Amino acid sequence: MKKSPPWQYDEFRQVGVDYEDPLEVEAYDERHAQFRDVDAECARILDTLGVTTQSVVIELGTGTGAFAMHAARRCGHVYAVDVSDRMLEAVRNKANKAVLQNITTCHAGFLTYEHAGPFADALVTSMAFHHLPDFWKGMALARMNGMLKPGGLLYIHDVLFAQADAEANITRWIDTLGDIGGQQLRDEVATHIREEFSTFDWIMDGLLERADFSILSKDMVEGVVGTYLCQKN
Ligand SMILES: C[S@@+](CC[C@H](N)C(=O)[O-])C[C@H]1O[C@@H](n2cnc3c(N)ncnc32)[C@H](O)[C@@H]1O
């Protein structure tokens, strides 16, 4: 891995939820299944990207690798990147179990991953980009742009806030998730808002455009979750 300058943001330091905690990793899939249909999400992303068996896909912030597994069944090669070694261990276990040999796991992050494979057809990041403060999101987007083929696609799904009624939207969201997943999920979401770096959607619009992406589509749900499909210019 290239040596980073001393002023670079330390993306390996866990902020908010600790994804190096083995208990967190073990509980992750079950906890998220309470409020997400992850299989449907993954299928939708791959359909939207129009992948083929030749496609090269990079996933940044892969977590336990649900998307990477789905992608590996439909694509040529998948690079699953995460700053948490524990998460990557879970990905490797799943890949071994499913006998999927076209997944490369990489212990790195948005700011440190050096893509050595062929230029990617698509880059996906789901529920992970909020781990970087905004300046560093901008730096990371420029790096992502450099990993893609001309016309390559970027899919971002994350917690993002609409400016209008932000406080009311967040309160309602925490209540909804609390009703589904109890106090633990309520606390996790509160930690996210308090300590992680989810930003306004209009900031994300600007960051994407300045990193030389065109926004092909954007969807905001309940003012708290955003999905972008972008294309490298
Ligand atoms: C909430 S999980 C999301 C996992 C999965 N993508 C999903 O949709 O369920 C966030 C993941 O991002 C990883 N992460 C945090 N900071 C990161 C960074 N700077 N670069 C890459 N991954 C990062 C964490 O280790 C964790 O596995």
Side-chain angles (χ1 to χ4, degrees), residues 1 3 9 13 28 36 53 76 86 89 98 111 116-117 125 130 149 153 166 168 171-174 198 202 228:
M1 202 181 287
K3 194 171 178 335
Y9 184 74
R13 186 172 54 91
Y28 187 87
R36 297 167 70 184
T53 51
R86 295 268 183 196
E89 201 179 303
L111 302 172
T125 185
H130 63 266
K149 283 181 181 167
L153 297 174
T171 306
R172 193 178 54 242
W173 185 47
I174 292 182
S198 280
W202 57 264
Y228 287 86

Side-chain angles (χ1 to χ4, degrees), residues 215-228:
I215 299 171
L216 302 181
S217 67
K218 170 183 169 183
D219 182 34
M220 286 293 293
V221 175
E222 307 273 330
V224 288
V225 176
T227 304
Y228 287 86

Side-chain angles (χ1 to χ4, degrees), residues 9-15 17-20 25 28-29 32 36 38 41-42 59-67 81-85 87-88 108-112 124-132 157-158 188 192 196:
Y9 184 74
D10 180 5
E11 62 180 347
F12 289 88
R13 186 172 54 91
Q14 296 288 316
V15 172
V17 178
D18 179 3
Y19 292 112
E20 284 288 8
V25 176
Y28 187 87
D29 287 347
H32 277 244
R36 297 167 70 184
V38 175
E41 269 179 39
C42 296
E59 188 190 14
L60 292 164
T62 191
T64 56
F67 173 76
V81 182
D82 205 288
V83 292
S84 162
D85 236 348
M87 284 296 201
L88 293 176
F110 294 105
L111 302 172
T112 48
V124 172
T125 185
S126 165
M127 295 292 169
F129 204 32
H130 63 266
H131 284 279
L132 292 183
H157 177 67
D158 207 351
E188 184 177 324
H192 177 124
E196 302 177 21

Side-chain angles (χ1 to χ4, degrees), residues 8-226:
Q8 178 153 314
Y9 184 74
D10 180 5
E11 62 180 347
F12 289 88
R13 186 172 54 91
Q14 296 288 316
V15 172
V17 178
D18 179 3
Y19 292 112
E20 284 288 8
D21 178 348
L23 295 178
E24 188 59 48
V25 176
E26 202 183 307
Y28 187 87
D29 287 347
E30 208 173 306
R31 188 142 79 251
H32 277 244
Q34 291 178 304
F35 61 96
R36 297 167 70 184
D37 183 344
V38 175
D39 288 336
E41 269 179 39
C42 296
R44 199 164 43 240
I45 297 171
L46 290 163
D47 290 346
T48 302
L49 293 172
V51 296
T52 70
T53 51
Q54 304 302 310
S55 301
V56 173
V57 174
I58 302 171
E59 188 190 14
L60 292 164
T62 191
T64 56
F67 173 76
M69 297 306 130
H70 279 265
R73 291 190 182 95
R74 288 176 55 176
C75 301
H77 203 92
V78 179
Y79 295 84
V81 182
D82 205 288
V83 292
S84 162
D85 236 348
R86 295 268 183 196
M87 284 296 201
L88 293 176
E89 201 179 303
V91 179
R92 285 189 290 270
N93 288 341
K94 276 188 190 168
N96 286 339
K97 229 184 221 169
V99 202
L100 289 168
Q101 289 170 342
N102 57 342
I103 301 180
T104 303
T105 55
C106 312
H107 186 217
F110 294 105
L111 302 172
T112 48
Y113 175 58
E114 298 290 340
H115 184 58
F119 287 112
D121 297 280
L123 201 151
V124 172
T125 185
S126 165
M127 295 292 169
F129 204 32
H130 63 266
H131 284 279
L132 292 183
D134 287 355
F135 168 75
W136 295 104
K137 287 189 186 84
M139 300 297 260
L141 285 169
R143 300 185 83 253
M144 293 186 216
N145 192 294
M147 296 173 204
L148 287 166
K149 283 181 181 167
L153 297 174
L154 169 65
Y155 188 100
I156 299 183
H157 177 67
D158 207 351
V159 177
L160 281 166
F161 305 126
Q163 178 91 48
D165 305 320
E167 207 174 317
N169 290 338
I170 289 169
T171 306
R172 193 178 54 242
W173 185 47
I174 292 182
D175 285 343
T176 305
L177 290 180
D179 288 347
I180 297 169
Q183 192 58 37
Q184 193 182 8
L185 191 53
R186 182 182 286 275
D187 291 347
E188 184 177 324
V189 183
T191 302
H192 177 124
I193 312 285
R194 193 174 56 243
E195 297 176 24
E196 302 177 21
F197 304 103
S198 280
T199 194
F200 287 121
D201 65 327
W202 57 264
I203 292 180
M204 188 62 76
D205 295 353
L207 290 170
L208 285 163
E209 280 156 6
R210 282 166 181 74
D212 214 16
F213 285 103
S214 295
I215 299 171
L216 302 181
S217 67
K218 170 183 169 183
D219 182 34
M220 286 293 293
V221 175
E222 307 273 330
V224 288
V225 176

